[in-house]
Amino acid sequence: MHTPLLRSLRPLALSAILLALTQTAGSWPAPQDGGDFSQSPQARPLPTDALMVKGAWASASDSVTPLPEGGSLADNAYTNQYFALIYVLPPGWTQKYYGPPPSDSGYYVLAQIRPAATNKVTGRGTILIAAQDLFFTLVPAANAFEFINYAEGKLQADYKVERALTPVSLMVAAFFSAIGCALCHTPSLTAQIQPYPRADHHR
Amino acid sequence: MKPAKFVLLPAVLALSLLPEMVFAQTDPGVRSDTGVNAGQPLASVTHNANDLAFFQSGLAQFSEHQTVTGDNPGLGPRFNMDSCGACHSQPAPGGTSPASAIFPNVGPNPQSQVIANVIVNGATNTIPYFVLANGPVREARFPFFFDQFGFPNPNAPNGGVEDLFTVSGRADAGACSLRQPSFNAARATNNIIFRIPTPVFGAGLMANIDDSTLLANRGAQANNNLGISGTFNHNGNDGTISRFGWKAQNKSLMIFAGEAYNVEMGISNELFTQDRPLPGEDQFGSGLLANCLNLAGTGYPEDITHSDGTSASTVTSDVGLFNAFMQFLDQPTPSTTSPGGAASIANGRRLFSAIGCALCHTPSLTTQPSKLTSGLGNAIANLFSDIEIHHMGARLADNVSQGGAGGDQFRTAPLWGLGQRIFFLHDGRCSDLLCAIEAHESNGGEATTVEAVFDQLLTPSQQQDILNFLRSL
C-alpha cells in the first residue's frame, strides 16, 4: 500500500539532492554560448612553450624494437641502439635542444650537440648527428657514395671541398670527406647502415 | 619486405678561436632613409590603362571603411576591424601593422582606436588586453575550446579566429546584442594565441609559382647538413600546394580575400556566404541570434558581383577588387646601400646563404607564364621563402593546426620588405631582428642548428652584416 511507495521515494529524493549539490559545487555557469566563453574563477593554465597539437607526425609507432630517432645522450656519448652507434664526445658537450620529428622524406635529426654553457675549454661549435633513409630520400642517390658525391657537386659558392671523398674502412662501408666554408669546416663521415632485419617500417 | 637502408650524417661545424668582440651587433631598425619602397603596381600594370584602373579601384576598396548599413554595408556582427587597409598599412596599403612613432608614421594600432573612432560602442565592447596603441594589430585564436567547467579542454582543439569586437550598441546595429569572447579567461588559462597581418606586396608573384618549381627547390635543399627538411601544406579542394597565411593554409589571393572579408570584417561574400559566428557558437551553440542576422538589410551574401555594373570595376565584387589590387602589387624594392653600406649588405647576403638561413628562406623563385599581366610571368620573385612549412619547435608553437600544418609548423616567412617592417614572427612578439632570429632555436625545431651557427660561429661584425642585409630588403 502506502509504505512501499514511500520507501522507494526516499532514495529517489536523496539522489535528487545529491545531484543538485554537485551542480552547485561547479557553480560557474556552463557556457551556453559554446566554447568561446568562460567565467571559471579557478584558472588551470595550459603549459607554456609546449607542443600539444602535433598534426601529421612521421614516425614509427613500434614501442618494442628500437626506433631510428630513439637515441640518447649520456656520459659524453651519443648512443643509438637502432643504428648500433656510439658517438663519443669531448667532455662538456651537451644537447640543449632536441631535434624535430622525422621528416616525411625520411630525414632524422638524431642529436644536436654543443658545448655546455659551463664549458669554457673547448671552442664554439655544434655537432649534428643525422640520418637519411634512402628509401624516402629526395636526393638522387642509392648509396652513401652517391649521396655524399651529390652533396659535393651541389656546393654553394661559399663552400669548397677541402679533402676529397675517400673510403675509410669501418665495420660498415663508410666515406669521408671534408667541406670548408668561410667560417667552418664540415668534416663528414657518411656511413651506409643496414640495421638488423626487423618488421620493416616501410610497410 | 625490404630492409631499411640509411646513411648516417654526422657533421661538425666548429670554430676554435672566436675573434675579439669589437662591438655589439644591433638591429638597424626600420629603414627610413630610402623613402617608402613598397606599394606600387607592377610596371606592366602601370602601362595598361585598364589594368591600372582595376588596380586603383581595388586599392580604393581595400582602403574603404565598412559600416553595418549605409553605402558600404555588411560589417559584423562580429569583426576585428572595419577595413583591410587599417590592418595592412605599413609602410603602404597592402603592408602590415603600423606604429605611430615609426616611419612612415601611419598611426597608432587602429584596433586600439575603435572606441575613440566610434567603430565600436564603448558601453558594450572593451579593448582586449593584448591590443596596445604601440603594439601590432592582432587577431586572436583559442587553441582549445573551454569545457563545461570553463577550463580549456586539450582534447577539443579549436584554433578558429575569435573576433575581437561586436556591432552591439552601434546606432546602425538594431537590437543585436553579443558578448565579446572571454579574452581574460583565455589569458588566465594560457589558451590564447595571436597572429599579426602578413604583407601582400608581391603576392601575385607568389600565387604564380608552379608546384613543380617549389618541389624542385625542396629537392635541391634536401641534402643539407643542418637538420632541415620542410614539407608543403596542401589545400583540401584540388590538393595542390597552398601558400598564403602564416601556415600556408590558403591556396589563393581570391580565397584569402573572401575569407578575410568574412572573418576580419564580418562581410559575407560569394566565397564565404554566411555571417560568421564564433567557433564555439557554431560548434556547440545555436549560431548567431536571429536579430543579429541580415543587419545590412540586403540579404546574403552581403558582397556580390554586380550584373548592373558598367565597367570592370563596377561589375566586380569587392572580393574580386581586393584580389585585383593584391595580385598587381609589385614586390618591395630592396636597397643596395642602406643600412650599413653596399659592402656590408653584400657580405650579409652571402653569409645568410652560407650559414643555412637560405635553406628555408630561398632567395628567389621564378614564376610561370601569366595571363593576367606580363609582369607576373616568368618573373623572379625575391621572396626569401621556400613556401614550405617547417617545424619551428615548442617555443614558437601556437598549437593551432591548419590543413596539413601542425601546432609548431609555419611557412618560412617571406622576408621581402623586411627592412620596413615593425613587428616580427606570427604573433608579433618581436620588434627587434635579433629577437626574431633567437626564436628560431627550440626543442623540436628545424632551425636550431642554423641559429646556433649564427649565434656561435659568426663574429659580431658578421652578424651585423646579416642584420644590415635583412634591413636592406
Side-chain angles (χ1 to χ4, degrees):
Chain A
M1 303 195 308
H2 285 263
T3 347
L5 186 66
L6 261 180
R7 253 192 221 128
S8 65
L9 267 180
R10 232 176 260 132
L12 256 183
L14 197 67
S15 55
I17 289 165
L18 271 177
L19 201 70
L21 270 180
T22 17
Q23 266 176 356
T24 12
S27 69
W28 46 91
Q32 73 280 13
D33 318 82
D36 306 301
F37 300 93
S38 166
Q39 265 82 48
S40 170
Q42 299 167 351
R44 197 165 41 193
L46 298 166
T48 44
D49 286 2
L51 178 57
M52 301 173 73
V53 176
K54 284 188 170 178
W57 202 263
S59 174
S61 55
D62 184 339
S63 59
V64 183
T65 41
L67 298 176
E69 66 271 32
S72 63
L73 195 76
D75 304 329
N76 293 328
Y78 170 77
T79 313
N80 186 307
Q81 249 191 302
Y82 182 90
F83 292 112
L85 170 79
I86 299 175
Y87 193 96
V88 181
L89 298 162
W93 286 60
T94 162
Q95 169 153 279
K96 189 169 175 197
Y97 300 107
Y98 57 80
S103 85
D104 53 11
S105 55
Y107 183 61
Y108 292 75
V109 173
L110 302 177
Q112 311 179 104
I113 303 160
R114 60 174 84 183
T118 49
N119 179 348
K120 303 276 178 247
V121 189
T122 15
R124 297 180 167 215
T126 104
I127 299 173
L128 174 82
I129 304 178
Q132 173 66 55
D133 185 334
L134 289 175
F135 187 84
F136 293 106
T137 183
L138 300 170
V139 176
N143 54 48
F145 175 79
E146 287 175 19
F147 197 86
I148 199 164
N149 209 20
Y150 178 83
E152 291 193 358
K154 287 266 171 186
L155 286 182
Q156 301 171 37
D158 269 295
Y159 291 79
K160 62 177 192 298
V161 177
E162 291 182 334
R163 204 178 133 175
L165 186 51
T166 35
V168 292
S169 42
L170 291 177
M171 303 272 284
V172 286
F175 295 92
F176 177 82
S177 83
I179 293 168
C181 69
L183 36 113
C184 55
H185 306 279
T186 322
S188 74
L189 177 74
T190 300
Q192 186 173 316
I193 292 191
Q194 223 134 335
Y196 58 86
R198 52 181 284 251
D200 193 353
H201 76 274
H202 304 323
R203 273 179 300 269
Chain B
M1 262 198 308
K2 181 170 159 298
K5 191 161 72 172
F6 281 89
V7 287
L8 257 182
L9 309 156
V12 186
L13 296 145
L15 191 83
S16 37
L17 270 180
L18 193 73
E20 281 293 295
M21 296 252 180
V22 214
F23 66 104
Q25 67 295 355
T26 50
D27 177 356
V30 175
R31 190 176 80 244
S32 59
D33 56 353
T34 55
V36 172
N37 303 127
Q40 295 304 310
L42 292 153
S44 63
V45 170
T46 313
H47 295 141
N48 177 313
N50 288 336
D51 284 348
L52 187 61
F54 211 26
F55 172 85
Q56 276 160 347
S57 303
L59 168 60
Q61 197 57 244
F62 193 86
S63 311
E64 195 170 88
H65 291 266
Q66 304 292 134
T67 46
V68 181
T69 59
D71 284 347
N72 305 311
L75 183 71
R78 296 188 177 278
F79 64 99
N80 280 326
M81 206 51 222
D82 65 345
S83 153
C84 311
C87 296
H88 292 275
S89 67
Q90 160 74 18
T96 59
S97 285
S100 49
I102 299 177
F103 170 84
N105 294 322
V106 178
N109 174 0
Q111 288 178 320
S112 70
Q113 309 298 309
V114 288
I115 294 177
N117 293 339
V118 207
I119 296 167
V120 309
N121 184 328
T124 52
N125 281 258
T126 53
I127 309 278
Y129 71 91
F130 52 82
V131 171
L132 306 169
N134 60 356
V137 161
R138 279 181 161 146
E139 187 190 78
R141 295 168 190 256
F142 298 166
F144 304 101
F145 285 111
F146 291 104
D147 64 15
Q148 70 269 34
F149 305 113
F151 297 135
N153 176 1
N155 298 318
N158 173 353
V161 174
E162 303 287 333
D163 283 305
L164 308 194
F165 306 114
T166 76
V167 296
S168 304
R170 276 179 62 120
D172 56 3
C176 171
S177 170
L178 293 170
R179 283 193 285 160
Q180 290 166 279
S182 309
F183 292 119
N184 291 330
R187 172 199 210 175
T189 50
N190 192 28
N191 186 28
I192 186 166
I193 66 96
F194 308 111
R195 298 276 177 85
I196 65 166
T198 40
V200 300
F201 309 123
L205 294 165
M206 235 161 84
N208 199 36
I209 300 168
D210 191 61
D211 286 13
S212 59
T213 307
L214 298 174
L215 290 161
N217 181 54
R218 180 184 180 215
Q221 316 296 359
N223 195 346
N224 66 77
N225 262 350
L226 293 162
I228 295 166
S229 57
T231 186
F232 291 102
N233 205 344
H234 297 264
N235 78 87
N237 294 322
D238 72 351
T240 55
I241 293 173
S242 54
R243 45 198 79 196
F244 296 107
W246 282 104
K247 298 205 178 215
Q249 69 269 23
N250 270 345
K251 174 66 193 169
S252 71
L253 292 172
M254 188 72 98
I255 290 177
F256 219 116
E259 183 190 318
Y261 216 17
N262 205 19
V263 174
E264 309 294 352
M265 298 164 64
I267 301 181
S268 57
N269 53 74
E270 289 161 310
L271 286 91
F272 295 89
T273 44
Q274 270 71 48
D275 261 330
R276 179 179 180 273
L278 296 175
E281 287 173 325
D282 221 13
Q283 301 225 356
F284 304 124
S286 51
L288 286 165
L289 302 173
N291 62 4
C292 293
L293 291 172
N294 195 21
L295 291 175
T298 57
Y300 289 98
E302 290 152 327
D303 168 43
I304 56 167
T305 305
H306 309 277
S307 58
D308 57 353
T310 51
S311 66
S313 44
T314 52
V315 168
T316 307
S317 64
D318 295 356
V319 166
L321 289 173
F322 300 143
N323 178 54
F325 166 64
M326 296 192 291
Q327 79 192 357
F328 285 161
L329 271 174
D330 202 355
Q331 54 189 317
T333 316
S335 167
T336 49
T337 52
S338 172
S344 168
I345 291 172
N347 198 36
R349 174 185 289 267
R350 207 172 54 78
L351 289 165
F352 182 82
S353 287
I355 67 169
C357 306
L359 286 169
C360 299
H361 295 282
T362 304
S364 66
L365 291 166
T366 304
T367 65
Q368 61 194 349
S370 173
K371 192 174 177 182
L372 290 164
T373 180
S374 62
L376 287 176
N378 305 316
I380 294 177
N382 300 306
L383 74 178
F384 291 93
S385 172
D386 52 11
I387 313 193
E388 289 170 30
I389 48 173
H390 293 274
H391 288 286
M392 296 305 283
R395 182 141 48 140
L396 281 169
D398 67 1
N399 290 313
V400 170
S401 160
Q402 292 178 279
D408 73 334
Q409 282 170 297
F410 291 92
R411 172 184 74 175
T412 302
L415 301 181
W416 49 10
L418 196 74
Q420 300 196 318
R421 294 254 316 267
I422 297 168
F423 303 104
F424 305 120
L425 299 176
H426 65 269
D427 51 7
R429 67 178 70 179
C430 298
S431 48
D432 183 298
L433 284 177
L434 284 165
C435 164
I437 296 171
E438 171 73 22
H440 281 61
E441 67 171 6
S442 170
N443 276 328
E446 291 175 37
T448 299
T449 296
V450 170
E451 206 287 329
V453 172
F454 176 88
D455 243 18
Q456 303 197 30
L457 302 192
L458 296 187
T459 65
S461 97
Q462 288 171 322
Q463 292 178 346
Q464 187 64 53
D465 289 343
I466 289 190
L467 297 174
N468 289 345
F469 158 67
L470 291 173
R471 281 301 192 181
S472 77
L473 295 175

